Amino acid sequence: MSFDTIIRGGTIATASDTFSCDVGISKGRIAALGDNLGAAAEIVDAAGLLVLPGGIDSHVHIAQPSGPGIVMADDFASATRSAAFGGNTMVLPFAMQQKGESLRQVVKDYHAKADGQCYVDVSFHLIIADASDPVLGQELPALVNDGYTSFKVFMTYEGLALSDMEMLKVMSVARETGALVMVHAENYDAIRFLTDRLEQAGKTQTKYHGASRPIAVEREATHRAISLAEIVDVPIMIVHVSNREAMEEIARARRRGLKIYGETCPQYLVLTEKDMDGLNMEGAKYVCSPPPRDEASQQACWEGLQQGIFSLFSSDHCPFRYDHPHGKLAPKGRTSFRWVPNGIPGVETRLPILFSEGVGKGRISLNEFVALTATNHARTYGLYPKKGTIAVGSDADIALWDARREVTISQSLMHGGTDYTPYEGIKVTGWPVATMLRGKFVVRDGKLEGRAGDGAYVPREKSPLATPRGAN
Ligand code: URP
Ligand code: ZN
Ligand code: ZN
């Protein structure tokens, strides 16, 4: 047998095993794993490198409308290019509904934005902002059937926050259709109350963003989301968990047998609230929600990763330029933290940060790294085993890693649309040196080889994790 490509001499790691063998690739899929695989049109020398499943970042925001005068820094081309340089072969952005919009039309609009633009594969979660009867009764079930098998609901943000009644209704549709609900858990009224109070006291600098949404805000909403899910008997994913108290709500629910899953992100491992205390609006670079907390919360998030309370490590990439009137320094944002666009870039730095801080420092194993950054994302969102592993029959989505390469993260190394990285100056050991999408290099030796349009839309199966307890 002759292959299109053989990756030779590398060390393969999956979510369960680490082993040395060659990878034979034909027609974009992994066709053989073994030694002496024979001939191929191209032999890739991976001696001294790790051969890992391409990263899947299942929580990114791309080209989303973000309020009056605010524009996201990434379109689908720049975000997916940045993702590829960061060792990712797939991202799952959101198709965000706004009130009054048809969900079907929203999905069409996001496809139009993405089609022909992407460097890595994409699939869409939905954001449900308008839980009206036509949306929940007809559009949503039809879209789940069409492969949009997960949706996010917000418990905060003007125009997005759902009431408890609406949450219950959305969760019921998820239960009926077998979709997975992702929850942004922060208490909207508490944030508004605290924000008003801070502003009345003249506390408008970016550093007060953290004080406007303290841990109790997140803990309460997490507890409430879990209770609502229990009432409906539906599994949910609590996204971007930032601290111990919210994590413990998830752990407690799991001990009671509920199917509650958790996700955390790089900002909760390596940033703190002190980062939002920069002079001259520098702190705006770190404003995201939930906000980065303190060192104790970082430690808690590590424990959540180590103990499997968090099965996903995603970037929550939500890119705005810093020095730009449509970004963090928008005129209104200078008047109060309330108006600073929420969100930070991170799709390109997610993997190196977890590899270096996690695997490099002995906090997690290499196999746990693969699970947290690729395999679990594929399993959770109905893509496994097509995506997220190195196995015969899977797509040849592969990242080659130099585990010894030392890099200081810097904006000059980034390939996205923002003008800064919140991780500037962080030293990492371990870096993705090549990214292969379905057997074709997108990035090799620091150079872009792929083309916009190489990345394809991938419809998804229903998540095996979304099965309700009562259905077992
Ligand atoms: O601040 C954040 N995280 N912005 C992105 C939107 C979200 O809530 O995930
Ligand atoms: Zn969110
Ligand atoms: Zn997000």
Side-chain angles (χ1 to χ4, degrees):
M1 184 174 179
S2 172
F3 299 93
D4 297 334
T5 307
I6 291 177
I7 300 175
R8 183 169 287 168
T11 300
I12 298 171
T14 68
S16 55
D17 300 296
T18 307
F19 50 95
S20 295
C21 77
D22 299 345
V23 183
I25 297 167
S26 287
K27 296 191 177 77
R29 294 166 73 178
I30 296 169
L33 296 171
D35 295 329
N36 307 316
L37 290 182
E42 182 177 12
I43 304 286
V44 176
D45 179 10
L49 298 178
L50 294 174
V51 181
L52 307 184
I56 301 174
D57 194 339
S58 64
H59 188 154
V60 301
H61 303 266
I62 304 173
Q64 264 182 222
S66 303
I70 305 297
V71 181
M72 273 197 177
D74 272 323
D75 56 19
F76 278 82
S78 61
T80 56
R81 185 180 62 216
S82 184
F85 274 96
N88 300 283
T89 49
M90 184 157 192
V91 295
L92 279 78
F94 297 88
M96 187 183 82
Q97 182 196 36
Q98 300 187 75
K99 287 230 185 302
E101 287 184 337
S102 144
L103 211 45
R104 179 63 75 177
Q105 186 58 45
V106 167
V107 167
K108 281 192 187 138
D109 293 346
Y110 276 86
H111 274 286
K113 295 189 218 191
D115 285 352
Q117 300 300 310
C118 296
Y119 289 88
V120 301
D121 285 352
V122 296
S123 193
F124 292 108
H125 309 289
L126 309 173
I127 288 177
I128 313 297
D130 193 340
S132 63
D133 288 346
V135 169
L136 299 191
Q138 289 122 48
E139 288 198 307
L140 194 48
L143 283 162
V144 173
N145 266 334
D146 290 348
Y148 305 89
T149 54
S150 48
F151 28 88
K152 183 173 177 188
V153 292
F154 286 84
M155 299 173 80
T156 187
Y157 289 138
E158 186 75 35
L160 286 175
L162 299 187
S163 67
D164 290 353
M165 173 69 98
E166 290 168 326
M167 294 263 295
L168 287 162
K169 286 182 178 176
V170 172
M171 287 178 180
S172 297
V173 176
R175 193 185 192 286
E176 281 155 26
T177 58
L180 187 63
V181 180
M182 309 159 75
V183 181
H184 179 128
E186 288 185 297
N187 181 314
Y188 183 42
D189 283 338
I191 293 167
R192 287 196 297 171
F193 169 80
L194 290 170
T195 301
D196 288 349
R197 214 167 64 172
L198 286 161
E199 285 186 342
Q200 280 154 17
K203 296 178 173 174
T204 56
Q205 298 101 303
T206 53
K207 66 178 175 186
Y208 294 109
H209 175 72
S212 75
R213 37 220 316 156
I215 284 173
V217 160
E218 189 181 339
R219 184 197 63 220
E220 185 280 331
T222 304
H223 180 86
R224 182 157 40 99
I226 291 170
S227 303
L228 299 179
E230 181 175 7
I231 289 164
V232 176
D233 180 22
V234 71
I236 56 169
M237 168 70 65
I238 307 287
V239 294
H240 46 48
V241 178
S242 72
N243 67 85
R244 184 176 299 283
E245 294 180 25
M247 178 185 79
E248 282 178 350
E249 293 291 339
I250 299 172
R252 200 150 53 91
R254 292 251 282 261
R255 283 198 296 275
R256 294 197 296 116
L258 301 180
K259 291 186 176 184
I260 308 294
Y261 312 111
E263 173 204 74
T264 193
C265 312
Q267 49 270 39
Y268 308 120
L269 299 184
V270 297
L271 300 179
T272 69
E273 61 199 342
K274 291 195 197 102
D275 289 304
M276 288 184 288
D277 193 6
L279 286 174
N280 299 324
M281 293 292 292
E282 276 286 313
K285 290 180 176 174
Y286 308 92
V287 167
C288 60
S289 298
R293 309 287 185 186
D294 58 8
E295 282 80 4
S297 295
Q298 292 179 341
Q299 175 55 28
C301 290
W302 279 114
E303 289 170 29
L305 290 168
Q306 289 161 336
Q307 294 165 13
I309 297 162
F310 302 136
S311 50
L312 299 183
F313 186 74
S314 312
S315 68
D316 193 8
H317 179 77
C318 187
F320 299 100
R321 290 179 190 87
Y322 172 63
D323 193 4
H324 198 283
H326 296 154
K328 295 285 188 180
L329 295 190
K332 217 170 164 189
R334 291 170 184 262
T335 66
S336 168
F337 65 85
R338 185 200 289 259
W339 303 112
V340 173
N342 274 218
I344 60 177
V347 73
E348 194 165 344
T349 44
R350 172 185 74 122
L351 296 174
I353 287 172
L354 189 67
F355 189 93
S356 185
E357 290 292 316
V359 183
K361 296 192 176 168
R363 289 167 162 135
I364 58 171
S365 71
L366 178 59
N367 309 102
E368 286 168 329
F369 170 81
V370 171
L372 287 164
T373 56
T375 316
N376 291 353
H377 298 254
R379 284 190 201 277
T380 301
Y381 294 117
L383 291 160
Y384 188 84
K386 177 179 170 62
K387 301 288 188 187
T389 192
I390 295 183
V392 172
S394 296
D395 282 359
D397 292 349
I398 290 169
L400 301 181
W401 278 74
D402 180 347
R404 287 179 295 273
R405 184 173 296 189
E406 294 180 5
V407 175
T408 302
I409 293 175
S410 144
Q411 175 56 20
S412 63
L413 299 176
M414 299 291 114
H415 299 85
T418 49
D419 57 355
Y420 80 100
T421 166
Y423 306 108
E424 186 78 34
I426 292 182
K427 290 184 171 47
V428 293
T429 303
W431 197 254
V433 292
T435 307
M436 178 182 269
L437 175 67
R438 286 180 273 106
K440 192 167 171 271
F441 280 106
V442 195
V443 173
R444 180 158 31 181
D445 298 330
K447 293 199 181 57
L448 188 65
E449 291 194 2
R451 293 223 292 257
D454 285 349
Y457 167 71
V458 185
R460 289 179 288 119
E461 304 289 327
K462 289 176 186 171
S463 167
L465 279 63
T467 312
R469 287 190 309 160
N472 286 337

